[in-house]
Each structure stands twice: as C-alpha cells, then as structure tokens.
Amino acid sequence: MNASTASSHDEYIANVEEPKRGELQLLHDLIRETLPDFEPVMISGFMGYGPFHYKGKSKACEGEWFRVGMGANKTGISIYICSGDENGYFPE
C-alpha cells in the first residue's frame, strides 16, 4: 500500500518515508491542536481537515473537499487551504 491509497491519516503517515513521515506527523498534530473542530478525512489521496460540500456554477462542478489539507509529494509536502465556505470566498 502507498500513502495515496490510505484510508486514514495514521495509515497515510505510516506509508511515507522519513524524514517526511515525521514532518507530516508534526503538521498533523499541529492542525489537530489548532483546529480541533475540523474533522479529519481522506479525500482524493489527501489528508484533509474540515470537510465541506461544494457546488460550482456549473452543474458538473460539485463534490466534497476540505478546508485544510496536505499531502506528501516527490519534492516535499504540500499544504492546501481553502479560503471560503458556502457563503463565498473570504477575501470577497
């Protein structure tokens, strides 16, 4: 099994090689401590926190995503932050 097919955050982290494994664990712990109300989820191979349902202006653009997420890649770790909710984007 590889990290992208993991069904939980613990499984994802366990399937990443060091030193990224320790870095992911540190980030995971920090996110859980900082955002305890954001439910942890696995979506499209990413570790996500705070799931929400989105629906774009196009009927074909609809699904589940997360407010904060991260994943390991060949060169490092990517962190994703969705700056919006069902009421629109925060900057607007």
Side-chain angles (χ1 to χ4, degrees):
M1 168 173 287
N2 64 38
S4 66
T5 59
S7 61
S8 72
H9 288 198
D10 289 339
E11 189 176 320
Y12 185 100
I13 292 168
N15 284 289
V16 174
E17 292 186 21
E18 289 291 358
K20 287 183 198 170
R21 180 183 309 134
E23 295 166 349
L24 280 171
Q25 186 66 58
L26 181 68
L27 288 167
H28 170 72
D29 293 343
L30 180 63
I31 291 168
R32 296 298 298 138
E33 180 182 326
T34 306
L35 304 168
D37 295 336
F38 278 30
E39 174 190 356
V41 294
M42 293 299 299
I43 298 176
S44 298
F46 293 103
M47 295 172 59
Y49 308 84
F52 70 96
H53 184 82
Y54 68 87
K55 186 172 184 178
K57 293 179 182 176
S58 165
K59 291 181 182 179
C61 182
E62 182 174 2
E64 301 298 320
W65 204 237
F66 43 75
R67 299 189 191 295
V68 175
M70 67 177 166
N73 54 49
K74 289 182 182 181
T75 60
I77 297 171
S78 296
I79 297 177
Y80 306 91
I81 299 174
C82 182
S83 60
D85 61 14
E86 59 277 350
N87 298 315
Y89 294 106
F90 297 140
E92 295 174 359

